PDB file of all heavy atoms in Angstrom:
ATOM      1  N   ALA A 182      22.369  52.219 -10.726  1.00  0.00           N
ATOM      2  CA  ALA A 182      20.983  52.541 -10.383  1.00  0.00           C
ATOM      3  C   ALA A 182      20.546  53.873 -10.999  1.00  0.00           C
ATOM      4  O   ALA A 182      19.454  54.357 -10.690  1.00  0.00           O
ATOM      5  CB  ALA A 182      20.827  52.604  -8.867  1.00  0.00           C
ATOM      6  N   VAL A 183      21.380  54.420 -11.865  1.00  0.00           N
ATOM      7  CA  VAL A 183      21.154  55.730 -12.485  1.00  0.00           C
ATOM      8  C   VAL A 183      20.910  56.761 -11.378  1.00  0.00           C
ATOM      9  O   VAL A 183      19.910  57.472 -11.346  1.00  0.00           O
ATOM     10  CB  VAL A 183      19.998  55.703 -13.509  1.00  0.00           C
ATOM     11  CG1 VAL A 183      20.027  56.970 -14.361  1.00  0.00           C
ATOM     12  CG2 VAL A 183      20.066  54.471 -14.401  1.00  0.00           C
ATOM     13  N   ARG A 184      21.876  56.788 -10.459  1.00  0.00           N
ATOM     14  CA  ARG A 184      21.864  57.733  -9.345  1.00  0.00           C
ATOM     15  C   ARG A 184      23.211  58.446  -9.366  1.00  0.00           C
ATOM     16  O   ARG A 184      24.137  58.058  -8.641  1.00  0.00           O
ATOM     17  CB  ARG A 184      21.651  56.985  -8.025  1.00  0.00           C
ATOM     18  CG  ARG A 184      21.824  57.832  -6.774  1.00  0.00           C
ATOM     19  CD  ARG A 184      20.563  58.525  -6.389  1.00  0.00           C
ATOM     20  NE  ARG A 184      20.709  59.319  -5.190  1.00  0.00           N
ATOM     21  CZ  ARG A 184      19.695  59.915  -4.579  1.00  0.00           C
ATOM     22  NH1 ARG A 184      18.473  59.780  -5.070  1.00  0.00           N
ATOM     23  NH2 ARG A 184      19.886  60.639  -3.518  1.00  0.00           N
ATOM     24  N   PRO A 185      23.374  59.437 -10.221  1.00  0.00           N
ATOM     25  CA  PRO A 185      24.693  60.054 -10.377  1.00  0.00           C
ATOM     26  C   PRO A 185      25.130  60.829  -9.140  1.00  0.00           C
ATOM     27  O   PRO A 185      24.569  61.865  -8.804  1.00  0.00           O
ATOM     28  CB  PRO A 185      24.501  60.988 -11.584  1.00  0.00           C
ATOM     29  CG  PRO A 185      23.039  61.277 -11.617  1.00  0.00           C
ATOM     30  CD  PRO A 185      22.356  60.058 -11.075  1.00  0.00           C
ATOM     31  N   GLN A 186      26.110  60.276  -8.431  1.00  0.00           N
ATOM     32  CA  GLN A 186      26.627  60.940  -7.241  1.00  0.00           C
ATOM     33  C   GLN A 186      27.980  60.336  -6.897  1.00  0.00           C
ATOM     34  O   GLN A 186      28.310  59.234  -7.346  1.00  0.00           O
ATOM     35  CB  GLN A 186      25.670  60.789  -6.057  1.00  0.00           C
ATOM     36  CG  GLN A 186      25.508  59.347  -5.576  1.00  0.00           C
ATOM     37  CD  GLN A 186      24.445  59.187  -4.490  1.00  0.00           C
ATOM     38  OE1 GLN A 186      23.578  60.033  -4.314  1.00  0.00           O
ATOM     39  NE2 GLN A 186      24.493  58.090  -3.763  1.00  0.00           N
ATOM     40  N   ARG A 187      28.757  61.057  -6.117  1.00  0.00           N
ATOM     41  CA  ARG A 187      30.045  60.564  -5.649  1.00  0.00           C
ATOM     42  C   ARG A 187      29.985  60.387  -4.136  1.00  0.00           C
ATOM     43  O   ARG A 187      29.353  61.175  -3.431  1.00  0.00           O
ATOM     44  CB  ARG A 187      31.163  61.538  -6.017  1.00  0.00           C
ATOM     45  CG  ARG A 187      31.365  61.729  -7.517  1.00  0.00           C
ATOM     46  CD  ARG A 187      32.546  62.645  -7.801  1.00  0.00           C
ATOM     47  NE  ARG A 187      32.449  63.881  -7.035  1.00  0.00           N
ATOM     48  CZ  ARG A 187      33.446  64.423  -6.343  1.00  0.00           C
ATOM     49  NH1 ARG A 187      34.622  63.822  -6.292  1.00  0.00           N
ATOM     50  NH2 ARG A 187      33.286  65.564  -5.688  1.00  0.00           N
ATOM     51  N   ARG A 188      30.661  59.353  -3.662  1.00  0.00           N
ATOM     52  CA  ARG A 188      30.629  59.089  -2.221  1.00  0.00           C
ATOM     53  C   ARG A 188      31.140  60.281  -1.432  1.00  0.00           C
ATOM     54  O   ARG A 188      30.595  60.607  -0.364  1.00  0.00           O
ATOM     55  CB  ARG A 188      31.456  57.842  -1.897  1.00  0.00           C
ATOM     56  CG  ARG A 188      31.535  57.597  -0.394  1.00  0.00           C
ATOM     57  CD  ARG A 188      32.128  56.272  -0.045  1.00  0.00           C
ATOM     58  NE  ARG A 188      32.294  56.140   1.404  1.00  0.00           N
ATOM     59  CZ  ARG A 188      32.686  55.026   2.007  1.00  0.00           C
ATOM     60  NH1 ARG A 188      32.953  53.941   1.293  1.00  0.00           N
ATOM     61  NH2 ARG A 188      32.813  54.991   3.318  1.00  0.00           N
ATOM     62  N   ALA A 189      32.142  60.969  -1.956  1.00  0.00           N
ATOM     63  CA  ALA A 189      32.683  62.124  -1.233  1.00  0.00           C
ATOM     64  C   ALA A 189      31.606  63.184  -1.025  1.00  0.00           C
ATOM     65  O   ALA A 189      31.540  63.817   0.041  1.00  0.00           O
ATOM     66  CB  ALA A 189      33.860  62.707  -2.004  1.00  0.00           C
ATOM     67  N   ASP A 190      30.749  63.379  -2.018  1.00  0.00           N
ATOM     68  CA  ASP A 190      29.676  64.365  -1.885  1.00  0.00           C
ATOM     69  C   ASP A 190      28.612  63.898  -0.890  1.00  0.00           C
ATOM     70  O   ASP A 190      28.039  64.704  -0.153  1.00  0.00           O
ATOM     71  CB  ASP A 190      29.040  64.638  -3.250  1.00  0.00           C
ATOM     72  CG  ASP A 190      30.028  65.265  -4.228  1.00  0.00           C
ATOM     73  OD1 ASP A 190      30.939  65.973  -3.771  1.00  0.00           O
ATOM     74  OD2 ASP A 190      29.884  65.018  -5.447  1.00  0.00           O
ATOM     75  N   VAL A 191      28.355  62.585  -0.882  1.00  0.00           N
ATOM     76  CA  VAL A 191      27.396  62.029   0.084  1.00  0.00           C
ATOM     77  C   VAL A 191      27.908  62.237   1.506  1.00  0.00           C
ATOM     78  O   VAL A 191      27.169  62.674   2.402  1.00  0.00           O
ATOM     79  CB  VAL A 191      27.161  60.529  -0.196  1.00  0.00           C
ATOM     80  CG1 VAL A 191      26.352  59.893   0.925  1.00  0.00           C
ATOM     81  CG2 VAL A 191      26.461  60.330  -1.534  1.00  0.00           C
ATOM     82  N   GLU A 192      29.192  61.930   1.721  1.00  0.00           N
ATOM     83  CA  GLU A 192      29.769  62.088   3.057  1.00  0.00           C
ATOM     84  C   GLU A 192      29.739  63.551   3.490  1.00  0.00           C
ATOM     85  O   GLU A 192      29.456  63.869   4.655  1.00  0.00           O
ATOM     86  CB  GLU A 192      31.205  61.561   3.064  1.00  0.00           C
ATOM     87  CG  GLU A 192      31.349  60.088   2.681  1.00  0.00           C
ATOM     88  CD  GLU A 192      31.128  59.135   3.840  1.00  0.00           C
ATOM     89  OE1 GLU A 192      30.782  59.597   4.940  1.00  0.00           O
ATOM     90  OE2 GLU A 192      31.302  57.917   3.638  1.00  0.00           O
ATOM     91  N   ALA A 193      30.002  64.467   2.563  1.00  0.00           N
ATOM     92  CA  ALA A 193      29.958  65.886   2.899  1.00  0.00           C
ATOM     93  C   ALA A 193      28.552  66.312   3.294  1.00  0.00           C
ATOM     94  O   ALA A 193      28.357  67.095   4.236  1.00  0.00           O
ATOM     95  CB  ALA A 193      30.463  66.725   1.719  1.00  0.00           C
ATOM     96  N   ALA A 194      27.542  65.791   2.580  1.00  0.00           N
ATOM     97  CA  ALA A 194      26.154  66.111   2.916  1.00  0.00           C
ATOM     98  C   ALA A 194      25.794  65.572   4.292  1.00  0.00           C
ATOM     99  O   ALA A 194      25.121  66.247   5.090  1.00  0.00           O
ATOM    100  CB  ALA A 194      25.214  65.543   1.858  1.00  0.00           C
ATOM    101  N   LEU A 195      26.230  64.362   4.602  1.00  0.00           N
ATOM    102  CA  LEU A 195      25.944  63.793   5.917  1.00  0.00           C
ATOM    103  C   LEU A 195      26.593  64.615   7.025  1.00  0.00           C
ATOM    104  O   LEU A 195      25.997  64.810   8.098  1.00  0.00           O
ATOM    105  CB  LEU A 195      26.435  62.337   5.973  1.00  0.00           C
ATOM    106  CG  LEU A 195      25.562  61.336   5.212  1.00  0.00           C
ATOM    107  CD1 LEU A 195      26.298  60.028   4.972  1.00  0.00           C
ATOM    108  CD2 LEU A 195      24.264  61.076   5.983  1.00  0.00           C
ATOM    109  N   ALA A 196      27.787  65.114   6.769  1.00  0.00           N
ATOM    110  CA  ALA A 196      28.449  65.968   7.768  1.00  0.00           C
ATOM    111  C   ALA A 196      27.642  67.240   8.002  1.00  0.00           C
ATOM    112  O   ALA A 196      27.488  67.690   9.151  1.00  0.00           O
ATOM    113  CB  ALA A 196      29.866  66.311   7.307  1.00  0.00           C
TER     114      ALA A 196
END
Side-chain angles (χ1 to χ4, degrees):
V183 194
R184 171 87 179 187
Q186 65 186 19
R187 297 183 309 133
R188 176 170 175 174
D190 296 330
V191 171
E192 301 276 4
L195 285 164

